[in-house]
Amino acid sequence: MFAVPLGEDGAELRPLEPWQAEEFLEHMDRGREFIGRHIGLADVVTDPASSRAYLQSYADKAAADTGRIYGIWTPEESGRGGTLVGGVLFRTMDVPHGTAEAGCWLEPSAVGRGLVTRASRVIIDWAVDERGIHRVEWLVSAANAPSIAVARRLGMTKEGVLRESYTSRGERHDMEIWSVLAPEWRRSRTERREREGT
């Protein structure tokens, strides 16, 4: 299994696979109410069977090249592989058409550390450079200010609002559509690396 370092704090990005269903469920239990405020994941992964089924659905997507899911781990003092605190994913990927929809989630203990932004950069780099994705979309509840901030930090452009297009926990929500195109992504990545001197 590979792990991609996410910075000097020791955080890592790794694939999330069905055999990790128990760890994924424990993570979801720690952050269920926080995560569930804006995304349906917390209401889908509720027990061992649903946790495994959710991760298996992404294993199937990976095999079909139509989606991917990755976890974000932060170091533990014991050094036993870290703690799963969130993740990023490609909910959909249409390689022939060059489009993908990215997304994220975090438990409260991991908020405010830039983990999602760093992890999203890794997967978007891969999608653009390795898979030839031309357009990466970010669909987000209009009430989810932290996720909208990530879209901005990624250099995405807000394209519009789908009014009351999403139902969560019995309420309708507006969804914002953000996106970045491959040429924009490469340009902003070059500019960021020049600023950082890397």
Side-chain angles (χ1 to χ4, degrees), residues 68 176 183:
R68 300 283 192 287
E176 295 186 4

Side-chain angles (χ1 to χ4, degrees), residues 58-78:
Y58 274 90
D60 296 343
K61 285 183 179 188
D65 203 20
T66 58
R68 300 283 192 287
I69 190 168
Y70 304 92
I72 299 170
W73 277 262
T74 55
E76 279 184 356
E77 290 181 18
S78 66

Side-chain angles (χ1 to χ4, degrees), residues 121 188 190-198:
R121 284 180 180 146
S188 67
T190 299
E191 291 168 358
R192 184 178 71 253
R193 288 176 176 169
E194 287 172 353
R195 283 194 309 271
E196 296 170 354
T198 58

Side-chain angles (χ1 to χ4, degrees), residues 52-65:
R52 182 168 182 82
Y54 187 82
L55 294 180
Q56 184 61 54
S57 74
Y58 274 90
D60 296 343
K61 285 183 179 188
D65 203 20

Side-chain angles (χ1 to χ4, degrees), residues 118-132:
R118 289 182 272 160
S120 296
R121 284 180 180 146
V122 170
I123 68 168
I124 294 172
D125 278 347
W126 172 81
V128 168
D129 295 341
E130 302 294 328
R131 301 304 298 124

